């Protein structure tokens, strides 16, 4: 009985409140300790100090020895894991006071070292709180305003300032005008250090995004024209920051207009910004120096180009949401102009009464729904007046195409005429939906289209290409008025499939659309339908059921192999371009998850030795996704971000801990959620697994069911050959 009790006691796991760690102190041997998480942190620090005979334990604190080396607080101590290496350091308050004194010292070398250390420590929220409480941000601002710091010293100062402000402890509204002018001067200087320029652009962007009052001040100091020069450099990081600042200035301008609408209906700042973004100079520089540059477009640059594309299209929102006023003569004159270009050629010299008598017939030939008063066709929003703008652009800039489309349909009497007016209005509405006109940019989305940067009037030219496609598809389908919705569905499919190919120019868009005729769409639909609905007979279904477990095991192994290779994840923060990364990978024996922080995105596999934290797979209780993730519940700002929400997942493990992920893309999200489910013996239910399963089963079944041409299948199996008399022909590996 005694033996049984001892064995049972030895097998019991250690209490969950006890964490085994190593603690370092410069010049001394590390202490191996068991930390009781129930004890106050101050008591634990006192014990550590006593171990090295250090007095004044209240002047010390614990920090992580690896990664960002953050201070440990009562709130964050629960994140300490078994095997963690900690370091005894001076307390945040003491460190903040010492650094504040050193950065104001007269010795240049001492000040430089202090600023370098400050730039590193400022990312720590505990230290930042202490430093800011000592008026540290004001001190840094005065150092910048003095204009006496240059080179590395100025770069570290700006880095520390940006990191401290990024914690959101101090309002950006407190920043002085002289500080803004000094930062703007670094951006406007023709020759300035890259690191200083980068941080200055980032500071200005944060000012614009975080303060309504500072937006106006920054806009007075920095113009888009001044930022254009930074787009012509070879450094893509500088280009990215410059476009980000342009986007920030543009993004805040509509807000200003909405807020001031009661006093100033036409916001001059918005108008200036819109005209600047639409001008050829900016567009051509982005096209030639960024999109068509010699360097591949990085993810952050792709995101900023996407944001710029969205904001540019959002300039159309006002016209899209403006209803036509049937009593407005200027607006009615546009419709008259459409009729005149199509049917009169030159100005008609006949009397007004005679011309009005012909309008109803002409409007019917133009394809308007309301023949008597076509202005009523433009009273629905969207697309509102934007549709009329598109039609007028086509009629004036592509007059031959416009006249051909109208006349070839108006002359038909077999009920197969394509109603130009109705089609143009519905097409405009469709293009607004496809390109999400009026919607704010999605965080993390990189879906920009190079062709929209190749023309000054890219939207209108895109419409002109698509209206010709619609007319062509209508004829190919031999459609009548009853088939209108069917035609629009086919045209939507043609456009979305072509946009997915990312044509680099409008000419390339035309070529790809020519290849997607109605017959090709039918063929693609049939092919996709066949791949989905292939083989429904009972023997084939039975074969599929036999194959499926093999394929699922193959997919499972692939997922686990990917987890063993590991993936890099981005830590969510306020500034996307100063990203923090962490890496996670599964051990080769599939028993432990290793993870740890990285300074930058890795180029290849990260060794296990660099990943200091780990979770035994046996401790994992479940995997949750989306809104159920703890970090999605905590960060209310992210709830509005559909992309982040769809790619978030968390591991819940013993005792009550969680490890939170936001996958870089949908593919990595599926890989990791599938792999983790496979580790836990649960079903892999991602969209990627369903797609892979369908593809692999379809390929395997088609291979097994291939017709055997000109091959006679014997009724009996072939005989097994006799054994050879000798084995002298075998190869001796010795």
């Amino acid at each position: 009985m005694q033996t049984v009790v001892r064995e049972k006691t030895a097998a019991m796991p250690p209490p969950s409140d006890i964490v085994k760690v190593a603690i370092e102190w410069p010049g001394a041997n590390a202490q191996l300790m068991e930390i009781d998480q129930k004890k106050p942190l101050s008591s634990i620090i006192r014990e550590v100090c006593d171990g090295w005979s250090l007095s004044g334990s209240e002047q010390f604190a614990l920090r992580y020895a690896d990664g960002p080396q953050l201070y440990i607080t009562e709130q964050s101590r629960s994140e300490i894991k078994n095997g963690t290496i900690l370091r005894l350091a001076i307390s945040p308050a003491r460190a903040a006071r010492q650094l504040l004194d050193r950065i104001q010292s007269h010795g240049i070398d001492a000040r430089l070292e202090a600023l370098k250390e400050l730039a590193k420590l400022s990312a720590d929220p505990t230290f930042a709180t202490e430093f800011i409480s000592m008026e540290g941000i004001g001190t840094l601002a005065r150092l910048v305003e003095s204009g006496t710091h240059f080179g590395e010293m100025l770069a570290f100062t700006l880095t520390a300032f940006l990191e401290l402000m990024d914690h959101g402890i101090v309002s950006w509204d407190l920043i002085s005008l002289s500080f803004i002018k000094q930062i703007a001067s670094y951006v406007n200087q023709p020759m300035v250090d890259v690191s200083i320029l980068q941080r200055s652009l980032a500071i200005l962007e944060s000012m614009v995004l975080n303060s309504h009052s500072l937006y106006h001040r920054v806009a007075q100091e920095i113009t888009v024209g001044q930022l254009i020069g930074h787009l012509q450099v070879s450094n893509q990081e500088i280009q990215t920051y410059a476009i980000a600042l342009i986007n920030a200035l543009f993004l805040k301008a509509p807000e200003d207009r909405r807020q001031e609408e009661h006093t100033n209906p036409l916001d001059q700042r918005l108008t200036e910004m819109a005209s600047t973004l639409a001008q050829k100079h900016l567009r051509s520089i982005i096209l030639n120096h960024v999109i068509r540059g010699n360097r591949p477009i990085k993810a952050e640059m792709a995101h900023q180009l996407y944001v710029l594309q969205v904001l540019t299209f959002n300039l159309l929102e006002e016209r899209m949401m403006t209803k036509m006023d049937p009593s407005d003569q200027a607006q009615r004159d546009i419709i008259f102009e459409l009729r005149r270009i199509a049917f009169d050629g030159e100005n008609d010299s006949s009397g007004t009464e005679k011309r009005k008598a012909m309008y109803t017939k002409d409007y019917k030939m133009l394809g308007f729904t309301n023949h008597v008063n076509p202005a009523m066709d433009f009273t629905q929003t969207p697309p509102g007046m934007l549709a009329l703008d598109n039609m007028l652009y086509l009629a004036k800039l592509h007059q031959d195409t416009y006249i051909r489309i109208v006349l070839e349909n108006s002359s038909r009497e077999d009920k197969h005429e394509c109603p130009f007016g109705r089609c143009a209005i519905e097409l405009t509405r469709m293009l607004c939906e496809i390109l999400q006109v009026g919607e704010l940019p999605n965080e993390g989305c990189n879906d920009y289209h190079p062709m929209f940067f190749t023309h000054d009037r890219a939207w209108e030219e895109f419409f002109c290409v698509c209206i010709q496609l619609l007319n062509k598809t209508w004829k190919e389908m031999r459609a009548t008025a009853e088939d209108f919705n069917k035609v629009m569905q086919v045209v939507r499919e043609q456009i979305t499939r072509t946009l997915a190919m990312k044509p680099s120019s409008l000419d390339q868009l035309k070529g790809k659309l020519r290849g997607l005729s109605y017959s090709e769409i039918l063929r693609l639909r049939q092919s996709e339908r066949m791949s989905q609905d292939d083989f429904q007979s009972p023997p084939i279904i039975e074969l599929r059921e036999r194959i499926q477990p093999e394929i699922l095991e193959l997919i499972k192994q692939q997922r686990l192999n990917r987890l063993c290779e590991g993936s890099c994840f981005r830590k969510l923060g306020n500034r996307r371009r100063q990203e923090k990364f962490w890496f996670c990978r599964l051990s080769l024996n599939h028993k432990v998850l290793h993870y740890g922080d990285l300074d930058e995105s890795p180029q290849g596999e990260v060794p296990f030795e660099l990943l200091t934290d780990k979770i035994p797979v046996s401790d994992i209780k479940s995997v949750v996704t989306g809104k159920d993730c703890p970090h999605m519940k905590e960060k209310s700002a992210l709830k509005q971000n559909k992309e982040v929400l769809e790619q978030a997942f968390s591991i819940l493990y013993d005792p009550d801990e969680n490890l939170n992920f936001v996958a870089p893309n949908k593919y990595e999200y599926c890989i990791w959620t599938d792999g983790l489910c496979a580790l836990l013996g649960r079903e892999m239910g991602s969209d990627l697994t369903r797609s892979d399963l369908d593809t692999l089963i379809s390929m395997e079944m088609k291979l097994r069911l291939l017709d055997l041409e000109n091959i006679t299948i014997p009724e009996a199996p072939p005989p097994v050959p006799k054994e050879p008399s000798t084995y002298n022909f075998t190869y001796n590996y010795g």
Side-chain angles (χ1 to χ4, degrees):
M1 187 68 178
Q2 186 83 14
T3 305
V4 173
V5 171
R6 277 201 304 268
E7 289 179 357
K8 185 176 180 180
T9 304
M12 288 178 63
S16 58
D17 295 321
I18 301 299
V19 184
K20 297 181 179 181
V21 300
I23 303 179
E24 299 176 339
W25 174 254
N29 294 326
Q31 295 186 39
L32 300 179
M33 291 187 63
E34 291 187 354
I35 293 179
D36 186 350
Q37 294 284 40
K38 293 181 179 179
K39 292 177 63 175
L41 189 59
S42 57
S43 299
I44 296 171
I45 295 173
R46 189 180 304 112
E47 290 179 18
V48 174
C49 290
D50 291 344
W52 283 309
S53 301
L54 298 173
S55 59
S57 61
E58 67 279 358
Q59 297 293 320
F60 293 91
L62 291 176
R63 291 170 59 185
Y64 289 98
D66 300 314
Q69 301 181 5
L70 299 178
Y71 279 102
I72 295 168
T73 63
E74 289 288 358
Q75 292 74 31
S76 64
R77 62 184 296 179
S78 60
E79 300 174 7
I80 302 174
K81 306 294 186 298
N82 281 315
T84 302
I85 301 176
L86 306 180
R87 179 174 296 156
L88 186 66
I90 60 174
S91 66
R94 187 178 169 192
R97 172 53 60 192
Q98 289 182 0
L99 285 174
L100 193 58
D101 293 338
R102 287 165 59 194
I103 64 176
Q104 299 177 82
S105 66
H106 296 293
I108 295 179
D109 292 339
R111 198 186 311 167
L112 177 61
E113 285 301 314
L115 287 168
K116 184 177 181 180
E117 188 175 347
L118 177 63
K120 182 179 179 181
L121 278 176
S122 295
D124 189 307
T126 309
F127 172 84
T129 303
E130 296 290 345
F131 189 81
I132 291 171
S133 69
M134 299 174 186
E135 303 296 330
I137 285 184
T139 302
L140 292 178
R142 286 190 293 273
L143 290 176
V144 174
E145 292 169 12
S146 68
T148 57
H149 283 51
F150 304 97
E152 270 191 317
M153 191 174 293
L154 178 58
F156 288 134
T157 305
L158 296 178
T159 301
F161 177 86
L162 194 55
E163 290 284 359
L164 292 167
M165 293 298 296
D166 194 37
H167 293 290
I169 301 171
V170 178
S171 171
W172 283 92
D173 290 324
L174 300 176
I175 302 302
S176 67
L177 181 59
S178 59
F179 181 85
I180 297 172
K181 288 179 176 290
Q182 189 64 41
I183 295 295
S185 70
Y186 299 138
V187 174
N188 294 331
Q189 285 177 17
M191 297 293 292
V192 67
D193 185 80
V194 170
S195 58
I196 295 172
L197 176 59
Q198 188 181 73
R199 288 155 179 79
S200 299
L201 289 167
I203 289 172
L204 291 173
E205 182 199 359
S206 294
M207 288 179 182
V208 171
L209 293 177
N210 291 291
S211 171
H212 173 70
S213 60
L214 291 189
Y215 161 75
H216 294 286
R217 294 181 179 179
V218 173
Q220 291 171 358
E221 299 295 329
I222 297 290
T223 65
V224 174
Q226 291 168 323
L227 294 173
I228 285 178
H230 297 306
L231 300 177
Q232 297 173 280
V233 300
S234 59
N235 188 319
Q236 191 172 121
E237 294 296 321
I238 295 298
Q239 292 176 326
T240 304
Y241 276 92
I243 294 181
L245 181 52
I246 291 173
N247 287 339
L249 289 166
F250 191 22
L251 186 62
K252 300 302 285 189
E255 273 190 26
D256 292 342
R257 189 185 72 158
R258 286 196 294 270
Q259 292 168 3
E260 299 171 7
E261 210 162 34
H262 60 286
T263 57
N264 185 10
L266 184 60
D267 183 76
Q268 185 178 359
R269 178 67 59 186
L270 175 64
T271 306
E272 291 174 0
M273 186 65 69
S275 62
T276 303
L277 285 170
Q279 66 175 290
K280 181 178 179 180
H281 189 46
L282 174 62
R283 177 195 60 76
S284 62
I285 285 176
I286 292 176
L287 178 66
N288 295 322
H289 292 272
V290 179
I291 297 175
R292 293 179 178 173
N294 296 324
R295 302 167 307 283
I297 300 292
K298 294 181 180 178
E300 179 54 32
M301 173 61 85
H303 173 71
Q304 293 301 333
L305 291 173
Y306 154 78
V307 172
L308 182 59
Q309 172 185 290
V310 170
L311 296 178
T312 305
F313 283 146
N314 283 356
L315 292 172
L316 305 169
E317 182 182 11
E318 184 179 357
R319 295 293 284 174
M320 179 182 76
M321 301 307 294
T322 300
K323 297 181 180 180
M324 187 171 188
D325 181 1
S327 63
D328 189 320
Q329 187 59 43
Q331 295 181 4
R332 292 169 62 88
D333 286 345
I334 299 176
I335 299 177
F336 297 158
E337 182 69 3
L338 290 175
R339 192 207 69 82
R340 184 195 67 76
I341 294 174
F343 301 116
D344 292 350
E346 301 295 335
N347 287 325
D348 196 340
S349 59
S350 58
T352 303
E353 295 299 323
K354 182 179 178 182
R355 284 191 287 114
K356 286 185 176 180
M358 300 173 59
Y359 283 173
T360 299
K361 178 183 176 182
D362 290 347
Y363 291 150
K364 181 178 180 181
M365 295 170 68
L366 275 170
F368 289 113
T369 303
N370 192 319
H371 308 151
V372 178
N373 187 6
M376 299 302 297
D377 287 12
F378 300 96
T379 56
Q380 185 177 357
T381 58
M385 290 295 290
L386 184 60
L388 187 59
D389 295 342
N390 287 340
M391 295 165 71
L392 185 63
Y393 182 89
L394 176 70
K396 287 193 168 185
L397 275 296
H398 299 273
Q399 195 170 110
D400 292 343
T401 300
Y402 168 70
I403 294 173
R404 175 178 56 79
I405 291 175
V406 172
L407 294 185
E408 74 178 17
N409 285 289
S410 62
S411 61
R412 300 181 67 169
E413 298 180 358
D414 55 0
K415 297 184 179 180
H416 290 289
E417 68 276 4
C418 175
F420 169 74
R422 183 184 176 191
C423 287
I425 292 170
E426 188 57 35
L427 177 64
T428 302
R429 187 198 331 274
M430 179 197 297
L431 296 182
C432 289
E433 291 174 359
I434 292 173
L435 297 175
Q436 300 178 330
V437 175
E439 296 185 18
L440 288 176
N442 288 324
E443 181 74 14
C445 183
N446 303 334
D447 190 24
Y448 80 98
H449 296 278
M451 70 176 181
F452 290 128
F453 293 87
T454 62
H455 200 282
D456 299 336
R457 305 291 295 273
W459 165 264
E460 291 86 349
E461 288 295 322
F462 184 48
F463 168 83
C464 294
V465 172
C466 292
I467 193 69
Q468 294 178 72
L469 168 72
L470 196 159
N471 186 59
K472 172 174 169 285
T473 301
W474 186 284
K475 290 188 289 185
E476 291 174 347
M477 294 177 66
R478 291 192 56 79
T480 62
E482 290 76 17
D483 301 318
F484 184 84
N485 290 334
K486 292 181 181 178
V487 175
M488 296 309 297
Q489 288 173 3
V490 173
V491 171
R492 176 185 280 270
E493 187 172 346
Q494 290 171 314
I495 293 171
T496 52
R497 284 180 182 271
T498 304
L499 286 178
M501 302 177 196
K502 294 294 178 71
S504 60
S505 65
L506 289 165
D507 288 337
Q508 199 174 98
L509 172 74
K510 295 175 187 176
K512 291 184 181 299
L513 285 173
R514 278 194 295 269
L516 274 179
S517 61
Y518 175 56
S519 59
E520 178 63 14
I521 290 293
L522 290 179
R523 189 192 69 77
L524 289 171
R525 285 178 175 178
Q526 180 69 14
S527 174
E528 291 167 0
R529 194 179 300 117
M530 287 293 293
S531 65
Q532 295 170 2
D533 304 329
D534 240 354
F535 312 126
Q536 296 301 318
S537 63
I540 300 301
I541 293 174
E542 182 181 350
L543 175 61
R544 182 185 182 91
E545 291 174 351
R546 287 189 179 185
I547 293 173
Q548 184 163 320
E550 302 174 20
I551 302 299
L552 279 173
E553 182 62 26
L554 184 66
I555 294 172
K556 174 183 174 182
Q557 292 303 319
Q558 188 269 342
R559 300 293 194 263
L560 293 176
N561 288 340
R562 279 287 289 106
L563 263 62
C564 289
E565 293 174 9
S567 297
C568 182
F569 299 93
R570 178 169 58 87
K571 286 191 173 183
L572 293 174
N574 294 332
R575 299 193 314 281
R576 300 183 72 257
R577 283 161 308 289
Q578 294 193 354
E579 294 180 316
K580 305 293 176 61
F581 300 94
W582 67 286
F583 197 88
C584 186
R585 62 182 296 197
L586 179 66
S587 63
L588 300 180
N589 61 6
H590 299 175
K591 291 185 177 181
V592 179
L593 276 175
H594 297 263
Y595 65 97
D597 293 333
L598 300 175
D599 293 331
E600 57 185 18
S601 182
Q603 304 296 322
E605 192 175 274
V606 176
F608 288 111
E609 295 76 19
L610 297 181
L611 306 177
T612 56
D613 299 308
K614 55 187 177 182
I615 301 173
V617 173
S618 58
D619 287 352
I620 299 177
K621 294 189 290 189
S622 63
V623 177
V624 294
T625 60
K627 292 185 291 186
D628 296 326
C629 297
H631 56 319
M632 291 296 103
K633 294 177 182 176
E634 294 168 4
K635 297 182 182 291
S636 58
L638 295 179
K639 291 182 180 179
Q640 301 174 354
N641 193 329
K642 186 178 178 183
E643 297 255 351
V644 172
L645 201 60
E646 289 178 348
Q647 295 171 12
F649 61 98
S650 296
I651 295 174
L652 307 183
Y653 61 97
D654 288 335
D656 290 309
E657 304 288 344
N658 56 73
L659 183 62
N660 303 315
F661 299 75
V662 176
N665 50 56
K666 188 68 175 176
Y667 176 79
E668 289 291 334
Y669 169 83
C670 293
I671 288 290
W672 274 85
T673 52
D674 282 344
L676 293 170
C677 287
L679 279 176
L680 301 179
R682 297 172 188 169
E683 181 181 353
M684 299 180 294
S686 73
D687 295 338
L688 183 62
T689 290
R690 286 191 288 271
S691 174
D692 288 349
L693 185 63
D694 290 342
T695 301
L696 293 172
I697 286 181
S698 176
M699 290 174 59
E700 182 67 18
M701 291 180 66
K702 288 175 181 178
L703 285 172
R704 295 193 185 193
L705 296 172
L706 280 175
D707 291 332
L708 300 176
E709 299 180 3
N710 302 321
I711 297 177
T712 304
I713 301 177
E715 296 181 2
V720 178
K722 295 180 180 180
E723 291 189 11
S725 56
T726 66
Y727 289 90
N728 295 335
F729 58 85
T730 59
Y731 181 77
N732 186 352
Y733 287 93

